[in-house]
Amino acid sequence: MQLREQGVQAADVERIELRVHSLVLELTGKKEPADGLQGKFSVYHGCAAGLIFGRAGEDEYHDDIVNRPDMVELRRKVVATVDNSIDEASADVTAVLKDGRKVHVFVEHAIGSLQRPMTDAMLEAKFSQLAEPVLGAAKTRQLIAACWGLGDAKDVRALAALARP
């Protein structure tokens, strides 16, 4: 996403060099995911989705997106190498462009890491994206409010009822 913010376009990429901690490749080293579930275990797919869409949310992991020709092509241009001097929640990324330019970003702390936790607004947005297709927008908003008020609730029955379609 940060490469995209710097003006990098997928069509201009010769390759993307990704240096990460060994745990990243151990957990998400699936180079050629065949479907959305496998895509969730692919740092290559996440990198490609971030550049093409500017995000890597639930929608970017649907089977049809994982198998889109432009996604497959860009994923294959991502070269990930292990560098254990980098924190598990960090990434050192260099896009080598077809014109010879290099664009470098260092992500010190990934969103959702201990050092960079998701904000309440980010949590609500992610929850809404996942819940609204099942519960609808109004019920999702009610459920979010009930979750935030859980500490003051007498019991969880009302919350549980809101969580049912």
Side-chain angles (χ1 to χ4, degrees):
M1 292 183 295
Q2 290 181 15
L3 288 174
R4 180 184 168 107
E5 290 167 3
Q6 291 192 33
V8 174
Q9 301 282 320
D12 299 331
V13 171
E14 179 71 32
R15 75 181 174 280
I16 297 174
E17 299 168 350
L18 183 62
R19 290 186 320 121
V20 294
H21 189 275
S22 59
L23 187 60
V24 172
L25 291 184
E26 184 180 326
L27 299 175
T28 63
K30 192 84 162 155
K31 181 73 173 169
E32 296 284 343
D35 57 32
L37 179 59
Q38 289 182 7
K40 292 177 180 182
F41 297 93
S42 175
V43 69
Y44 305 93
H45 182 75
C47 182
L51 185 57
I52 289 177
F53 298 105
R55 63 187 181 279
E58 187 68 21
D59 290 342
E60 289 71 44
Y61 290 90
H62 289 187
D63 292 355
D64 58 330
I65 298 296
V66 169
N67 291 300
R68 268 180 35 176
D70 60 336
M71 292 296 292
V72 173
E73 180 184 357
L74 185 56
R75 259 196 327 262
R76 289 178 177 164
K77 294 179 180 182
V78 177
V79 178
T81 58
V82 169
D83 182 344
N84 282 329
S85 70
I86 294 175
D87 185 78
E88 296 168 1
S90 301
D92 192 325
V93 186
T94 302
V96 179
L97 306 182
K98 292 177 182 175
D99 66 7
R101 289 182 300 129
K102 292 183 177 184
V103 180
H104 176 259
V105 296
F106 182 72
V107 179
E108 186 174 8
H109 304 292
I111 295 171
S113 65
L114 288 174
Q115 299 85 354
R116 193 173 167 202
M118 294 176 74
T119 65
D120 290 353
M122 293 165 99
L123 287 168
E124 286 188 16
K126 184 171 185 171
F127 182 83
S128 294
Q129 181 188 22
L130 296 170
E132 281 183 13
V134 178
L135 301 175
K139 198 168 184 184
T140 297
R141 283 191 302 275
Q142 291 175 325
L143 181 54
I144 289 170
C147 286
W148 289 126
L150 186 58
D152 297 324
K154 294 176 186 166
D155 60 51
V156 296
R157 282 184 278 220
L159 186 137
L162 286 169
R164 288 190 206 103

